Amino acid sequence: PLYYTHFKGEGEYSFTGLLYLPKTQPWGLYEPNFETDLKLYVKRVFITDNFEEFMPRYLSFMKGLVDSDDLDLNVSREMLQKSRALRSIKKRIVRKVIGMFQE
């Protein structure tokens, strides 16, 4: 990777994240249906890797994973979209990525 960050988010919702910027541009980055490569884990159990709402479109080139203990294991896609915890985690991840570029 060109650059990476490993961090823990604590507070109302706790999570661990590993995000990295790939050395090469992902294939199909400028395609309208390009999907981000960010994986979501809950209590170290894989939940999804196709979750477009987790990263904004302008950061879709980032790759990595997020592991949270505060989400339920038995979740559906609709529950994840409405989850207050997920919105909070998303905000903190976006801030972390932008801060990574400012360094």
Side-chain angles (χ1 to χ4, degrees):
L2 194 60
Y3 190 80
Y4 73 94
T5 182
H6 181 255
F7 59 95
K8 284 187 179 245
E10 295 177 351
E12 189 176 355
Y13 304 105
S14 63
F15 65 96
T16 304
L18 173 64
L19 301 172
Y20 66 94
L21 178 64
K23 214 174 229 188
T24 60
Q25 173 183 335
W27 185 83
L29 178 65
Y30 299 111
E31 297 294 322
N33 57 358
F34 182 74
E35 297 173 355
T36 183
D37 195 13
L38 194 64
K39 295 172 178 32
L40 177 64
Y41 288 79
V42 175
K43 298 176 185 168
R44 293 177 183 81
V45 175
F46 177 73
I47 300 297
T48 184
D49 61 349
N50 188 10
F51 194 60
E52 298 87 19
E53 293 83 17
F54 204 65
M55 276 296 234
R57 177 83 175 112
Y58 61 90
L59 292 175
S60 62
F61 56 88
M62 293 298 297
K63 296 186 180 222
L65 62 95
V66 175
D67 183 20
S68 176
D69 292 333
D70 295 330
L71 297 172
D72 293 329
L73 275 173
N74 188 13
V75 294
S76 67
R77 187 171 181 87
E78 292 80 24
M79 289 175 64
L80 281 176
Q81 290 173 346
K82 297 176 185 175
S83 171
R84 184 173 171 223
L86 205 55
R87 282 186 301 224
S88 174
I89 291 171
K90 175 185 173 179
K91 277 191 218 176
R92 293 163 83 187
I93 287 175
V94 169
R95 281 190 222 139
K96 192 69 172 176
V97 170
I98 292 173
M100 183 173 73
F101 290 133
Q102 291 176 346
E103 291 180 355

